[in-house]
Amino acid sequence: VPQLQRARDAAPALAQMFEDCDAELFLVLPRIVLLCLLRDPAKAIELLRRLLPHRFEQRTVSSAARRHPCARSSSSPDLFKEAEGLLSRPEIRPCLGPELQALTKKFWRAELLLAHVSPAVAEGGGASAFDLLIQRAVSGLDGKDSSQRCDDASTRSATPSKAQGPLCEAAGSAVGELMHELEGWSIELQRYSPEDWNECINVLVQCMAHSESSCQLSGDIG
């Protein structure tokens, strides 16, 4: 929920959808939820297991890895790197399957490249690479292909111009590839277990509505 609140703050269009209970909200929410889960899969692993249980596999890992389940590196992200120098007994537990690991690495790569080339991030204006990915996911509702450039300013920030150099071209390609792949995962998220997905969405929407009401109440009191 905190990450979803951040996503709402990062994308005014998403905040408006929540406020209006717009039907488009339920089209964009799967993408937003996936981005929030991919940002920190270690914390979201139980929710992911419930929504996509077939995307997990049983592995033997050490209890040290359980305390440090997700070691993220800017150069070579590794989802389950065991802590070195710690002795512990092995145990069997569910871990991200290869498809989810590949998707997570694509997310990290897009976020890392975007952080290096986006003016909104480089100038320290408050927006992060994750914020720009959220904005891009929301702007995808217009039905344009993820590789196309949109007129919206926030989307241009999340899709660097090729004229800016090879690194920017790589960032644009990584963001486009991620958004394209998210579409398939969004459909799977909704269709694999519709009952679980609907329950998840209902809880999230209620939490967001309660959060918005609390903020408005605080503002009125202040």
Side-chain angles (χ1 to χ4, degrees):
V1 173
Q3 290 203 52
L4 194 57
Q5 291 171 336
R6 175 175 176 173
R8 180 191 60 190
D9 295 339
L14 180 61
Q16 191 64 46
M17 290 178 195
F18 272 109
E19 183 177 341
D20 299 339
C21 290
D22 196 310
E24 287 187 332
L25 174 64
F26 299 96
L27 297 177
V28 73
L29 265 181
R31 301 177 211 151
I32 303 301
V33 168
L34 280 167
L35 285 175
C36 290
L37 296 177
L38 290 172
R39 191 164 190 252
D40 196 343
K43 291 183 178 179
I45 194 168
E46 292 304 321
L47 179 57
L48 278 170
R49 281 183 61 199
R50 179 172 180 179
L51 296 175
L52 300 172
H54 61 300
R55 294 297 188 178
F56 285 76
E57 56 187 34
Q58 298 294 321
R59 294 184 187 174
T60 301
V61 297
S62 70
S63 57
R66 186 175 185 177
R67 289 195 297 272
H68 303 277
C70 188
R72 179 175 179 178
S73 165
S74 60
S75 59
S76 179
D78 184 2
L79 291 180
F80 292 100
K81 179 187 294 182
E82 295 188 16
E84 297 179 358
L86 296 178
L87 298 178
S88 56
R89 62 184 181 182
E91 59 183 46
I92 298 176
R93 67 185 182 93
C95 297
L96 301 187
E99 296 85 3
L100 269 177
Q101 289 202 35
L103 180 65
T104 305
K105 289 181 180 180
K106 285 184 179 180
F107 166 79
W108 285 344
R109 180 173 184 271
E111 187 181 37
L112 178 65
L113 288 170
L114 192 56
H116 279 83
V117 302
S118 172
V121 177
E123 294 172 4
S128 68
F130 178 72
D131 295 335
L132 297 181
L133 286 174
I134 290 293
Q135 293 167 9
R136 177 64 188 270
V138 173
S139 73
L141 289 174
D142 59 10
K144 293 182 180 180
D145 183 83
S146 59
S147 63
Q148 294 180 353
R149 306 295 184 260
C150 299
D151 294 332
D152 166 274
S154 64
T155 302
R156 287 200 302 271
S157 297
T159 310
S161 169
K162 291 184 178 181
Q164 293 177 307
L167 185 60
C168 290
E169 184 175 351
S173 177
V175 171
E177 182 180 351
L178 174 64
M179 293 300 152
H180 178 76
E181 188 158 347
L182 277 181
E183 289 304 307
W185 283 91
S186 296
I187 294 173
E188 182 174 339
L189 194 64
Q190 298 172 77
R191 293 182 179 177
Y192 182 79
S193 179
E195 296 81 6
D196 286 338
W197 171 249
N198 289 336
E199 181 181 350
C200 174
I201 286 302
N202 286 336
V203 171
L204 289 176
V205 170
Q206 290 176 19
C207 288
M208 296 297 288
H210 177 73
S211 171
E212 183 67 23
S213 298
S214 298
C215 289
Q216 291 178 353
L217 180 60
S218 297
D220 292 340
I221 294 176

